[in-house]
Amino acid sequence: MNNQRERWGSKLGFILAAAGSAVGIGNIWKYPHMAGQNGGSAFTIIYLICIFLVGLSIVIAEFAIGRKTQLSPVGAFEKLAPGSYWKYVGFLGVASAFVILSFYGVVGGWILKYIIESLSGGFSSLAGNPDASSAMFGAFVESTWSPLIYQLFFMGLCMWVIINGVKGGIEKWSSVMMPLIIILLAVLAVRGVTLEGGMKGISFLFNPRFEDLTPSSIVLALGHSFFTVSLGMGTMITYGSYLEKKQNLLNSALWIIVIDTLIALLAGIAIFTTVFALGANPAEGPGLIFVVLPSVFTQLAGGTIWAAMFFILLFMAALTSAISILEVQTAYLIDQKNWSRKKATLLFGSIVTVIGMFCSLSLGGGINITGFLGESFFLGETFFDVMDNLSSKYMLPIGGMMTAIFVLVKWKIPGYLEELSTGVDGYAINAGLIKGTLIFAASVVAFIIINELAPFF
Ligand code: PHE
């Protein structure tokens, strides 16, 4: 075990780093298109319920496990429950990190490509022409080499930040990037709202259309609530492990969830106001930002700047999240195997990059490793989609549920409360409330997962 554990430099630095992990392509890419296709604010309402009633208690639990043990997930569970099977919840987290970062790195690469295209005027021929934009996006992601090169670059940056350590890498970059993300997004949202017809985007986003909500939207909302706050794979355990005892874990968790939610809503406003003002298709799905936005931004005066601003802020959001995923993997090797930070980062960073290459290649249909297992094995999905669905629909909710159960049955409420109360001044924590929310969180996830898996058996 490491005697001199790395530490956050300040309370605010920790909040910005954890919020940086939470705010990512989940908020700016996934949430808007999911809400667009699943009933607008009807989806948002379900997602908010999931975040505040299920997610919040698990963020707090993850922080507490990390701070108590001063270890990343595998070691943390092992320390609180020595010799038991609970450490496999930690291993599930490390495995989830491989699954998520593989496709996340590919999307990170796409974003880099789009920054360069927007700055070099590559979108100018796409103005008002979503078909051309769609053809450009399709040709890019389905090509072999170009996405791989951008992915490599993105993953290289990620590794570089992590090698620089908790304070000198993660905290430093998150503290610079988080405020910039908020400023850029706010400017884009104001621009959108003040466009003629932009307000139609607001009513699209905030008027509930319950008829568009299906049972699968609810599974989607639950899975997304885990994905968007980086829950269920020990990211928050790892970040919590670099904390000293004086941090108020309850307040911090609330801050992170509020920042994450506000940024998702702000992204929705910025995107849908612009899409509506320019008469594009709001229910485009995953292509919303890569296909629709390049064709609408370029119709505005100063279009290059708007598009570049958008993709730059998206890039910063993706980077501050991707580093938190890589940190979970790296911290495992540092804590459990005594590896140096550099060696750990380079090894796991390279492996996940290679897995990601298969995600990218699966989109062109050339090399799709799910195809080797027979077309029907993964219901005909690409390897990229399999990794995305596997993590947000199953691995993260299961990891989160197991964390809640762990606190309830193994660590037990009195020990847990003792850790939570450290750093909390001025009010007493209600044990019944803490216990009730954990039971509720675990039950909701169990119910939804069982329903989701039932058709397979
Ligand atoms: N929360 C990140 C996002 O919204 C993704 C993420 C998931 C990061 C799990 C870390 C762990 O994009």
Side-chain angles (χ1 to χ4, degrees):
M1 209 194 302
N2 227 329
N3 291 330
Q4 283 182 321
R5 191 157 192 80
E6 291 183 75
R7 295 258 170 246
W8 302 110
S10 70
K11 286 188 181 186
L12 180 65
F14 160 69
I15 305 238
L16 289 174
S21 165
V23 172
I25 57 178
N27 306 59
I28 299 163
W29 176 46
K30 283 186 165 195
Y31 164 72
H33 79 70
M34 282 175 174
Q37 286 189 316
N38 292 276
S41 74
F43 178 85
T44 310
I45 292 167
I46 310 269
Y47 149 80
L48 288 179
I49 294 176
C50 292
I51 282 210
F52 283 95
L53 294 185
V54 178
L56 180 60
S57 59
I58 301 177
V59 184
I60 298 171
E62 287 205 12
F63 281 160
I65 293 173
R67 190 181 64 178
K68 169 78 186 167
T69 57
Q70 299 280 301
L71 287 168
S72 54
V74 175
F77 283 104
E78 176 65 19
K79 189 165 173 184
L80 285 171
S84 71
Y85 287 115
W86 284 104
K87 67 169 177 285
Y88 291 104
V89 179
F91 279 120
L92 176 67
V94 179
S96 310
F98 275 98
V99 173
I100 297 180
L101 192 52
S102 62
F103 75 84
Y104 213 94
V106 174
V107 181
W110 298 351
I111 301 169
L112 269 179
K113 151 90 176 172
Y114 270 58
I115 293 180
I116 293 174
E117 281 299 328
S118 54
L119 288 174
S120 62
F123 293 153
S124 47
S125 60
L126 307 179
N129 190 349
D131 291 338
S133 186
S134 167
M136 178 180 144
F137 179 62
F140 168 62
V141 301
E142 288 169 20
S143 62
T144 304
W145 295 109
S146 177
L148 296 187
I149 293 165
Y150 285 104
Q151 180 217 0
L152 261 180
F153 203 76
F154 181 83
M155 289 304 301
L157 263 174
C158 228
M159 290 190 240
W160 176 74
V161 174
I162 291 297
I163 288 174
N164 279 298
V166 173
K167 192 172 151 194
I170 304 175
E171 182 173 348
K172 184 169 150 195
W173 286 101
S174 306
S175 304
V176 173
M177 290 181 170
M178 281 307 289
L180 280 175
I181 293 171
I182 298 176
I183 296 170
L184 291 180
L185 207 48
V187 172
L188 282 167
V190 170
R191 168 78 277 217
V193 174
T194 51
L195 287 172
E196 203 187 319
M199 290 312 272
K200 276 188 277 173
I202 302 270
S203 58
F204 175 79
L205 191 62
F206 292 110
N207 275 346
R209 298 183 305 280
F210 287 105
E211 63 283 6
D212 288 353
L213 209 58
T214 60
S216 72
S217 322
I218 298 177
V219 181
L220 202 66
L222 178 86
H224 184 64
S225 69
F226 278 84
F227 185 86
T228 190
V229 230
S230 312
L231 275 189
M233 53 161 268
T235 318
M236 297 304 174
I237 297 183
T238 310
Y239 275 21
S241 77
Y242 303 125
L243 276 176
E244 279 166 359
K245 295 287 183 192
K246 45 186 198 275
Q247 191 96 13
N248 181 330
L249 299 182
L250 305 179
N251 281 354
S252 309
L254 200 57
W255 264 112
I256 288 151
I257 289 195
V258 168
I259 296 175
D260 186 72
T261 307
L262 289 180
I263 292 194
L265 295 178
L266 210 51
I269 294 174
I271 292 171
F272 285 116
T273 48
T274 316
V275 164
F276 271 86
L278 297 165
N281 175 17
E284 175 71 34
L288 186 63
I289 63 171
F290 292 107
V291 172
V292 179
L293 289 188
S295 73
V296 292
F297 277 137
T298 35
Q299 285 171 272
L300 300 174
T304 310
I305 308 278
W306 299 116
M309 260 167 77
F310 179 81
F311 286 105
I312 289 172
L313 86 87
L314 182 56
F315 168 76
M316 294 191 287
L319 186 66
T320 50
S321 297
I323 56 179
S324 73
I325 310 178
L326 186 56
E327 179 62 17
V328 170
Q329 303 171 320
T330 301
Y332 163 71
L333 289 178
I334 299 176
D335 290 344
Q336 302 310 114
K337 309 279 172 206
N338 261 319
W339 281 36
S340 73
R341 174 166 280 278
K342 190 169 175 188
K343 193 170 138 201
T345 308
L346 290 177
L347 179 77
F348 273 179
S350 310
I351 295 177
V352 79
T353 306
V354 172
I355 306 175
M357 290 178 163
F358 286 103
C359 288
S360 181
L361 291 170
S362 79
L363 298 176
I367 302 181
N368 187 1
I369 58 177
T370 54
F372 296 148
L373 297 163
E375 268 303 298
S376 59
F377 190 83
F378 283 115
L379 310 169
E381 286 183 357
T382 61
F383 186 54
F384 183 102
D385 288 337
V386 168
M387 298 304 251
D388 185 359
N389 287 330
L390 186 67
S391 52
S392 35
K393 279 197 183 150
Y394 304 105
M395 296 175 92
L396 298 182
I398 290 175
M401 174 183 75
M402 295 310 290
T403 306
I405 296 176
F406 172 80
V407 171
L408 288 164
V409 306
K410 188 72 196 174
W411 194 6
K412 303 225 165 74
I413 296 298
Y416 179 53
L417 273 185
E418 196 186 314
E419 180 61 31
L420 282 192
S421 315
T422 326
V424 173
D425 293 325
Y427 59 90
I429 300 170
N430 183 322
L433 187 65
I434 292 285
K435 188 170 175 182
T437 50
L438 284 170
I439 294 176
F440 180 78
S443 317
V444 169
V445 182
F447 177 78
I448 291 180
I449 299 263
I450 289 168
N451 265 301
E452 176 77 352
L453 288 176
F456 292 109
F457 296 104

